[in-house]
Amino acid sequence: HELIAGEDGDTSIIQPSWHPDTGELYYISDQSGYYNVYRAGFAPSILPMEYDFGGSAPGWALGQQGFSFLPDGRLAAQYSKDGRSILLVSDVSQKDSPAVGIEEFDGKDGLPMMFGGLSPGADGDLYFLGGSPSTPSSIYKWNLETKCPATILACSSTLSFSEELISVPKQVEFPTTLGTAFGYYYAPKNGGYTCTTDKAPPLLVKAHGGPTACTGTSFNAGIQYWTSRGFAVLDVDYGGSTGYGRDYRRRLRKSWGIVDIDDVCNGAKYLVKEGLADGERLCIDGGSAGGYTTLGALAFKDVFKAGTSLYGVADLTALAGDTHKFESRYLDGLVGAYPEEEKLYKERSPIESVDTLSCPILLLQGVEDEVVPPNQAEMMHEALLKKGIPTCLKMYEGEQHGFRQAENIEDALDSELAFYGKVFGIETIPGVIELKVDNM
């Protein structure tokens, strides 16, 4: 056995791959502070950049590949900059030197706004997954020689929408506790309606799951649903998210329930200050880890007027003792060792701070969820009922962690809209469903 890299025990190394011609080992490491591409036996990165290669998630999903080798031996790699993907092609044939002959390609060369999972073909063809704010995730083919617009070979959805309905996100940076945080702002947009008020729109802040993951800008029906109905959306890449370098990703170490909550709150306040959101109509939602951030923001801060938790964590101690094997020690790095630091877990559990809750909360939960068991939502609902806070719990049969059935996904969105309609006193919402809210 030979130790190639990572001898400090605290360096993240992902996506090892052998060069098909030379047999040399390539991999992605964050030793420089960013996920860069390395070649075994050559100490510095062969492509040193202050951007992350490798894709959106930190390597805990199978099949991710942020770089590949072309038939002529060149390296093709993808990184993201300002919410857009960039393809980098370089010559790596010189054994004792970094990559040379570096070329970059992006949307101006016919590539989609976001892409990854590169797979080379013959005659300069490249295949990859990609999308844009108006295009659902698709399999694309693009030719490196002709640089004609990428062709969609297969799409994850048959739906198509007019550009008059699609809100294109703008990346925003805003001040927060540890410096700067990031997100994507979607303005309300619906060509079929005209705004009749000078007031800023209501804002829905979204906290992604993971929590060590990130959001993206490919078509998201769950976001366009809101912007087409008059809501602005802020999709937050809070501290701990991937894609912004190692230091940013490590902000969440031992600080889950602090950094993420600060960032979603500061993002909302920033948009209010910029005149892009109504401070009296701020709401937040999130699923899984994002549900925990949502409940924490509602329990520990006084920024949002309402919120929705989708299969979210209410009790960290219960999660530490009752979750699936793959994530069984995940919280040790995010919060602290359990049970040694049980006090810390209780301090950061929204269920333990019901006394500080004061705004309406909608809870949406799958009955068969083994990652965040249903008892989490049930405990939170019971606590809210006892305190007299407006609340609603909807349990979906046959659903696990993340809803899969179309009718349930639709009902969850419609229920959330109806919930905010009641909370904000919006009297006329086309197609709104009936929703019973307890304590209201």
Side-chain angles (χ1 to χ4, degrees), residues 151-373:
T151 303
I152 295 179
L153 302 180
C155 184
S156 60
S157 174
T158 57
L159 295 175
S160 62
F161 297 92
S162 165
E163 293 295 329
E164 291 188 343
L165 281 173
I166 299 298
S167 177
V168 177
K170 173 187 176 183
Q171 188 175 49
V172 294
E173 301 180 14
F174 53 88
T176 190
T177 311
L178 295 181
T180 299
F182 304 89
Y184 295 97
Y185 175 77
Y186 295 76
K189 186 175 182 181
N190 188 326
Y193 293 85
T194 301
C195 183
T196 58
T197 177
D198 292 330
K199 292 182 65 176
L203 175 72
L204 175 62
V205 172
K206 286 191 164 289
H208 64 70
T212 49
C214 66
T215 187
T217 56
S218 291
F219 175 77
N220 186 330
I223 288 179
Q224 301 296 336
Y225 175 96
W226 294 102
T227 56
S228 65
R229 287 161 174 78
F231 281 72
V233 173
L234 176 64
D235 205 2
V236 182
D237 268 339
Y238 48 78
S241 300
T242 53
Y244 303 91
R246 182 175 64 187
D247 289 345
Y248 194 80
R249 192 176 72 248
R250 287 184 175 182
R251 284 186 185 182
L252 216 56
R253 282 190 172 185
K254 309 293 184 181
S255 296
W256 190 32
I258 299 175
V259 169
D260 50 319
I261 292 173
D262 283 348
D263 290 357
V264 295
C265 291
N266 287 327
K269 290 191 287 187
Y270 169 79
L271 292 181
V272 171
K273 182 180 178 182
E274 293 293 308
L276 298 174
D278 182 355
E280 296 303 313
R281 294 184 294 171
L282 301 177
C283 45
I284 181 172
D285 75 9
S288 188
Y292 168 69
T293 301
T294 294
L295 293 172
L298 299 174
F300 306 129
K301 303 290 183 178
D302 188 24
V303 173
F304 300 100
K305 307 301 180 183
T308 299
S309 170
L310 297 94
Y311 36 90
V313 179
D315 185 349
L316 287 176
T317 59
L319 181 66
D322 186 18
T323 190
H324 61 133
K325 183 178 180 180
F326 182 68
E327 292 186 350
S328 61
R329 309 307 303 183
Y330 190 24
L331 298 187
D332 286 15
L334 293 171
V335 182
Y338 188 84
E340 293 86 349
E341 298 182 75
E342 183 176 1
K343 180 181 178 183
L344 194 59
Y345 279 68
K346 288 186 175 295
E347 289 174 354
R348 296 190 197 170
S349 293
I351 193 68
E352 300 285 345
S353 297
V354 176
D355 289 343
T356 62
L357 288 168
S358 59
C359 67
I361 300 177
L362 173 64
L363 302 161
L364 306 174
Q365 177 69 42
V367 172
E368 299 177 10
D369 193 335
E370 295 183 3
V371 179
V372 179

Side-chain angles (χ1 to χ4, degrees), residues 96-143:
D96 296 320
S97 75
V100 296
I102 299 172
E103 298 179 274
E104 288 193 350
F105 307 94
D106 57 17
K108 298 188 297 295
D109 302 293
L111 291 165
M113 184 172 177
M114 295 291 292
F115 59 87
L118 305 175
S119 180
D123 301 320
D125 287 338
L126 267 177
Y127 300 86
F128 46 82
L129 297 172
S132 73
S134 60
T135 308
S137 295
S138 303
I139 298 175
Y140 286 83
K141 182 177 79 169
W142 178 79
N143 189 271

